Amino acid sequence: MESLTPLVQAFLALGPTVILPVFIFLIGLAFGLGPAKSFRSGLTIGVGFVGIGLVVALLVDNLGPAAQAMVARFGINLTIIDIGWPGSASLAWASPIAALILPIGLLVNFIMLITKTTKTMDVDIWNYWHFTFCGACVYAINGSVPLAIAAAVLFEIAMLKLADWTAPYMEKYYDLPGVSVPTGSTMANSLIGIPLVWLIQKIPVIKDLKADPETIQKRFGIFGEPIFMGLILGCILGALAGYDVGQIVQIGMAMAGVMVLMPRMVKLLMEGLIPISEAARNFLQKRFGEDSENAKLYIGLDAAVTTGHPAVIATALILVPLTLLLAVILPGNNMLPFGDLATIPFFVAMIVAAARGNIIHSVISGLIVIGVCLIIGTTLAEFQTSMGVTANFKMPEGAALISSIDQAGNIVNFVIFKILALFA
């Protein structure tokens, strides 16, 4: 089994820009779209993800250093370093069970589709690392392969069910019909964040505060447009980081670019996905009837497709400094947010949709959710550090312990881990 792990890692190293088009092509053939149209859809979606990857890199490459500069400037000193999702993913794929999770995960999804226990066809193979991480945690504590696989499968089932639950937001708010998002961090945070939004929108005074992009644009004219929102919020982050004027303008322009370019990349991706969705719908309607609920099928994609919405980016940019402040004042937290600060758009995607783009409500809910992640991540820090030592993970300089907001702080992962750890 361990000898297969490098092969799995090599396959996944191809990235979504290669893996996703291949799966889309095969899905198109399965639903009778034809080789030419299936190939074109796969190719278009792959190009869309190339564009999304470039814009996400623009976001991360500017947001990461700014966050690091803020930490240094304000002298924030906590004992646990957040290594971010890349570090957690590397630990997941280094686990001896990693080679098993990919085929088992595909099989579980297939069984759930044919038994009608999910409507999500998860083609986001790369993000199976979330399932793998949960299984790897259980394996590391008790060495049981069956229990580790059970943990990964339980996590996958939870994500698919949550993806089904939140799929209407993808159509109504993000205008992405036929798409769901089974990404582990996005779905787990929606489990807490969406009910929080419902609660916040019932609180007197706060419920009447409106700050969605449309309202902002009506009030401030062209200065309320996404391009100006990105520029202003980026410049504020640069100022908080202590940058000079030139660097402040650079990060402002980068965030303005993210606001404008990401929606266009998502539109390109949808151009390729629409023929697949229509073919799947026609295929299922022939078998279940025009109006049958069973005729619905969602294509499960990376939560990156939601990050182009202005309200998502605006909420995330505001939450970056607030997360650092929260980490300092939150009782029981010892984790320094770092690696996952640039991942905040993924954390809040469904929260923003539930809030119908209200940035104020999204920030309040998002901050509470991140607080929960910090506490859980602190609780699992010693355990994730031991996983890192076993996997020969290169520890950050000066770090005593490592953890992550993304997966170590994931509430679904935490619950499954705690239950199955009882069998250690």
Side-chain angles (χ1 to χ4, degrees), residues 135-169:
C137 287
V138 172
Y139 180 81
I141 199 169
N142 59 30
S144 170
V145 172
L147 284 177
I149 292 172
V153 168
L154 286 172
F155 191 92
E156 178 182 11
I157 291 171
M159 295 307 103
L160 292 172
K161 299 301 290 185
L162 287 169
D164 291 343
W165 175 51
T166 56
Y169 289 122

Tab-separated table of all heavy atoms in Angstrom, residues 135-169:
chain	number	residue	atom	x	y	z
A	135	GLY	N	-8.852	10.687	7.785
A	135	GLY	CA	-8.448	9.297	7.961
A	135	GLY	C	-7.048	9.169	8.520
A	135	GLY	O	-6.773	8.314	9.370
A	136	ALA	N	-6.140	10.045	8.056
A	136	ALA	CA	-4.750	10.004	8.522
A	136	ALA	C	-4.658	10.309	10.009
A	136	ALA	O	-3.812	9.743	10.721
A	136	ALA	CB	-3.899	10.994	7.726
A	137	CYS	N	-5.510	11.221	10.485
A	137	CYS	CA	-5.528	11.538	11.927
A	137	CYS	C	-5.865	10.299	12.753
A	137	CYS	O	-5.209	10.000	13.754
A	137	CYS	CB	-6.556	12.639	12.213
A	137	CYS	SG	-6.085	14.290	11.673
A	138	VAL	N	-6.899	9.581	12.323
A	138	VAL	CA	-7.329	8.391	13.059
A	138	VAL	C	-6.268	7.295	12.961
A	138	VAL	O	-5.961	6.623	13.954
A	138	VAL	CB	-8.692	7.896	12.523
A	138	VAL	CG1	-9.064	6.554	13.147
A	138	VAL	CG2	-9.770	8.937	12.807
A	139	TYR	N	-5.673	7.138	11.775
A	139	TYR	CA	-4.630	6.126	11.606
A	139	TYR	C	-3.432	6.420	12.510
A	139	TYR	O	-2.847	5.509	13.106
A	139	TYR	CB	-4.176	6.070	10.145
A	139	TYR	CG	-3.100	5.050	9.893
A	139	TYR	CD1	-3.424	3.702	9.725
A	139	TYR	CD2	-1.757	5.416	9.837
A	139	TYR	CE1	-2.436	2.749	9.505
A	139	TYR	CE2	-0.764	4.468	9.617
A	139	TYR	CZ	-1.108	3.139	9.456
A	139	TYR	OH	-0.126	2.200	9.254
A	140	ALA	N	-3.092	7.695	12.621
A	140	ALA	CA	-1.923	8.073	13.418
A	140	ALA	C	-2.123	7.778	14.899
A	140	ALA	O	-1.155	7.498	15.616
A	140	ALA	CB	-1.614	9.555	13.232
A	141	ILE	N	-3.369	7.801	15.361
A	141	ILE	CA	-3.581	7.601	16.799
A	141	ILE	C	-3.806	6.134	17.156
A	141	ILE	O	-3.504	5.708	18.279
A	141	ILE	CB	-4.767	8.461	17.314
A	141	ILE	CG1	-4.677	8.614	18.827
A	141	ILE	CG2	-6.100	7.879	16.908
A	141	ILE	CD1	-5.627	9.637	19.405
A	142	ASN	N	-4.331	5.322	16.217
A	142	ASN	CA	-4.587	3.925	16.589
A	142	ASN	C	-4.009	2.894	15.605
A	142	ASN	O	-4.084	1.699	15.862
A	142	ASN	CB	-6.098	3.673	16.776
A	142	ASN	CG	-6.908	3.981	15.532
A	142	ASN	OD1	-6.422	3.855	14.416
A	142	ASN	ND2	-8.155	4.397	15.739
A	143	GLY	N	-3.444	3.352	14.486
A	143	GLY	CA	-2.811	2.443	13.536
A	143	GLY	C	-3.756	1.500	12.830
A	143	GLY	O	-3.325	0.546	12.181
A	144	SER	N	-5.069	1.769	12.924
A	144	SER	CA	-6.062	0.887	12.324
A	144	SER	C	-6.455	1.387	10.938
A	144	SER	O	-7.024	2.476	10.803
A	144	SER	CB	-7.306	0.802	13.217
A	144	SER	OG	-8.364	0.147	12.551
A	145	VAL	N	-6.167	0.600	9.918
A	145	VAL	CA	-6.547	0.975	8.551
A	145	VAL	C	-8.071	1.014	8.383
A	145	VAL	O	-8.607	1.973	7.820
A	145	VAL	CB	-5.896	0.027	7.521
A	145	VAL	CG1	-6.435	0.297	6.116
A	145	VAL	CG2	-4.380	0.190	7.540
A	146	PRO	N	-8.818	0.001	8.872
A	146	PRO	CA	-10.278	0.048	8.729
A	146	PRO	C	-10.898	1.288	9.383
A	146	PRO	O	-11.788	1.925	8.802
A	146	PRO	CB	-10.755	-1.228	9.423
A	146	PRO	CG	-9.595	-2.164	9.306
A	146	PRO	CD	-8.380	-1.304	9.448
A	147	LEU	N	-10.429	1.639	10.604
A	147	LEU	CA	-10.974	2.824	11.265
A	147	LEU	C	-10.585	4.100	10.532
A	147	LEU	O	-11.379	5.047	10.443
A	147	LEU	CB	-10.505	2.893	12.717
A	147	LEU	CG	-11.192	1.954	13.712
A	147	LEU	CD1	-10.566	2.086	15.099
A	147	LEU	CD2	-12.689	2.235	13.783
A	148	ALA	N	-9.378	4.132	9.985
A	148	ALA	CA	-8.928	5.301	9.229
A	148	ALA	C	-9.787	5.487	7.977
A	148	ALA	O	-10.203	6.610	7.657
A	148	ALA	CB	-7.458	5.150	8.848
A	149	ILE	N	-10.059	4.387	7.286
A	149	ILE	CA	-10.913	4.457	6.098
A	149	ILE	C	-12.329	4.871	6.483
A	149	ILE	O	-12.965	5.682	5.797
A	149	ILE	CB	-10.914	3.104	5.361
A	149	ILE	CG1	-9.533	2.841	4.756
A	149	ILE	CG2	-11.995	3.068	4.275
A	149	ILE	CD1	-9.368	1.452	4.176
A	150	ALA	N	-12.813	4.348	7.604
A	150	ALA	CA	-14.141	4.732	8.087
A	150	ALA	C	-14.215	6.233	8.347
A	150	ALA	O	-15.209	6.891	8.006
A	150	ALA	CB	-14.484	3.949	9.362
A	151	ALA	N	-13.152	6.779	8.941
A	151	ALA	CA	-13.110	8.223	9.220
A	151	ALA	C	-13.165	9.021	7.924
A	151	ALA	O	-13.925	9.987	7.804
A	151	ALA	CB	-11.841	8.565	10.001
A	152	ALA	N	-12.358	8.615	6.941
A	152	ALA	CA	-12.334	9.322	5.659
A	152	ALA	C	-13.693	9.250	4.962
A	152	ALA	O	-14.180	10.238	4.404
A	152	ALA	CB	-11.246	8.744	4.764
A	153	VAL	N	-14.312	8.075	5.002
A	153	VAL	CA	-15.610	7.889	4.348
A	153	VAL	C	-16.688	8.714	5.045
A	153	VAL	O	-17.521	9.349	4.387
A	153	VAL	CB	-15.989	6.394	4.321
A	153	VAL	CG1	-17.443	6.207	3.912
A	153	VAL	CG2	-15.073	5.641	3.362
A	154	LEU	N	-16.675	8.724	6.370
A	154	LEU	CA	-17.650	9.532	7.115
A	154	LEU	C	-17.494	11.011	6.776
A	154	LEU	O	-18.484	11.736	6.605
A	154	LEU	CB	-17.477	9.313	8.622
A	154	LEU	CG	-17.976	7.983	9.179
A	154	LEU	CD1	-17.562	7.833	10.642
A	154	LEU	CD2	-19.499	7.887	9.054
A	155	PHE	N	-16.248	11.457	6.670
A	155	PHE	CA	-15.997	12.863	6.325
A	155	PHE	C	-16.514	13.146	4.913
A	155	PHE	O	-17.161	14.179	4.672
A	155	PHE	CB	-14.504	13.170	6.422
A	155	PHE	CG	-14.187	14.635	6.337
A	155	PHE	CD1	-14.099	15.407	7.484
A	155	PHE	CD2	-13.991	15.248	5.111
A	155	PHE	CE1	-13.816	16.763	7.416
A	155	PHE	CE2	-13.703	16.606	5.030
A	155	PHE	CZ	-13.612	17.361	6.187
A	156	GLU	N	-16.255	12.237	3.987
A	156	GLU	CA	-16.725	12.427	2.611
A	156	GLU	C	-18.247	12.486	2.554
A	156	GLU	O	-18.820	13.366	1.879
A	156	GLU	CB	-16.227	11.281	1.721
A	156	GLU	CG	-16.721	11.402	0.288
A	156	GLU	CD	-16.287	10.257	-0.600
A	156	GLU	OE1	-15.774	9.251	-0.060
A	156	GLU	OE2	-16.459	10.363	-1.826
A	157	ILE	N	-18.906	11.579	3.234
A	157	ILE	CA	-20.376	11.558	3.240
A	157	ILE	C	-20.919	12.878	3.778
A	157	ILE	O	-21.857	13.466	3.214
A	157	ILE	CB	-20.904	10.368	4.063
A	157	ILE	CG1	-20.586	9.053	3.347
A	157	ILE	CG2	-22.406	10.488	4.310
A	157	ILE	CD1	-20.862	7.807	4.177
A	158	ALA	N	-20.312	13.354	4.870
A	158	ALA	CA	-20.752	14.627	5.450
A	158	ALA	C	-20.590	15.766	4.448
A	158	ALA	O	-21.480	16.618	4.305
A	158	ALA	CB	-19.965	14.921	6.727
A	159	MET	N	-19.464	15.794	3.722
A	159	MET	CA	-19.230	16.871	2.756
A	159	MET	C	-20.211	16.802	1.589
A	159	MET	O	-20.703	17.838	1.119
A	159	MET	CB	-17.797	16.808	2.233
A	159	MET	CG	-16.723	17.076	3.280
A	159	MET	SD	-16.949	18.628	4.214
A	159	MET	CE	-17.588	17.978	5.784
A	160	LEU	N	-20.509	15.597	1.110
A	160	LEU	CA	-21.445	15.452	0.002
A	160	LEU	C	-22.854	15.874	0.400
A	160	LEU	O	-23.560	16.542	-0.382
A	160	LEU	CB	-21.452	14.008	-0.501
A	160	LEU	CG	-20.161	13.539	-1.199
A	160	LEU	CD1	-20.224	12.038	-1.475
A	160	LEU	CD2	-19.935	14.309	-2.496
A	161	LYS	N	-23.267	15.522	1.610
A	161	LYS	CA	-24.597	15.923	2.085
A	161	LYS	C	-24.673	17.433	2.287
A	161	LYS	O	-25.683	18.065	1.955
A	161	LYS	CB	-24.938	15.192	3.391
A	161	LYS	CG	-24.994	13.676	3.286
A	161	LYS	CD	-26.019	13.204	2.258
A	161	LYS	CE	-27.451	13.443	2.675
A	161	LYS	NZ	-28.421	12.874	1.719
A	162	LEU	N	-23.597	18.012	2.823
A	162	LEU	CA	-23.569	19.466	2.983
A	162	LEU	C	-23.534	20.170	1.627
A	162	LEU	O	-24.125	21.245	1.454
A	162	LEU	CB	-22.361	19.879	3.826
A	162	LEU	CG	-22.446	19.558	5.325
A	162	LEU	CD1	-21.099	19.752	6.002
A	162	LEU	CD2	-23.508	20.436	5.997
A	163	ALA	N	-22.840	19.564	0.658
A	163	ALA	CA	-22.806	20.130	-0.692
A	163	ALA	C	-24.208	20.137	-1.310
A	163	ALA	O	-24.604	21.115	-1.966
A	163	ALA	CB	-21.838	19.341	-1.567
A	164	ASP	N	-24.960	19.059	-1.098
A	164	ASP	CA	-26.347	19.025	-1.575
A	164	ASP	C	-27.172	20.129	-0.913
A	164	ASP	O	-27.978	20.799	-1.569
A	164	ASP	CB	-26.988	17.667	-1.249
A	164	ASP	CG	-26.404	16.523	-2.064
A	164	ASP	OD1	-25.744	16.792	-3.085
A	164	ASP	OD2	-26.594	15.353	-1.662
A	165	TRP	N	-26.979	20.288	0.391
A	165	TRP	CA	-27.744	21.260	1.177
A	165	TRP	C	-27.477	22.692	0.703
A	165	TRP	O	-28.388	23.516	0.632
A	165	TRP	CB	-27.375	21.092	2.660
A	165	TRP	CG	-27.996	22.091	3.581
A	165	TRP	CD1	-29.319	22.436	3.668
A	165	TRP	CD2	-27.319	22.873	4.569
A	165	TRP	NE1	-29.503	23.378	4.650
A	165	TRP	CE2	-28.301	23.663	5.217
A	165	TRP	CE3	-25.986	22.971	4.980
A	165	TRP	CZ2	-27.974	24.550	6.248
A	165	TRP	CZ3	-25.675	23.839	6.002
A	165	TRP	CH2	-26.651	24.623	6.628
A	166	THR	N	-26.243	22.971	0.373
A	166	THR	CA	-25.870	24.339	0.003
A	166	THR	C	-25.925	24.594	-1.502
A	166	THR	O	-25.729	25.731	-1.940
A	166	THR	CB	-24.447	24.663	0.498
A	166	THR	OG1	-23.529	23.694	-0.027
A	166	THR	CG2	-24.381	24.643	2.024
A	167	ALA	N	-26.194	23.574	-2.309
A	167	ALA	CA	-26.228	23.744	-3.765
A	167	ALA	C	-27.200	24.840	-4.228
A	167	ALA	O	-26.882	25.558	-5.184
A	167	ALA	CB	-26.562	22.415	-4.441
A	168	PRO	N	-28.370	25.004	-3.588
A	168	PRO	CA	-29.250	26.100	-4.021
A	168	PRO	C	-28.587	27.481	-3.942
A	168	PRO	O	-28.901	28.365	-4.748
A	168	PRO	CB	-30.433	25.995	-3.046
A	168	PRO	CG	-30.474	24.544	-2.681
A	168	PRO	CD	-29.042	24.126	-2.612
A	169	TYR	N	-27.679	27.674	-2.993
A	169	TYR	CA	-26.964	28.949	-2.925
A	169	TYR	C	-26.098	29.159	-4.172
A	169	TYR	O	-25.910	30.288	-4.635
A	169	TYR	CB	-26.061	28.999	-1.688
A	169	TYR	CG	-26.793	29.109	-0.382
A	169	TYR	CD1	-26.624	28.148	0.614
A	169	TYR	CD2	-27.646	30.178	-0.126
A	169	TYR	CE1	-27.291	28.238	1.824
A	169	TYR	CE2	-28.325	30.277	1.089
A	169	TYR	CZ	-28.144	29.307	2.052
A	169	TYR	OH	-28.800	29.401	3.251
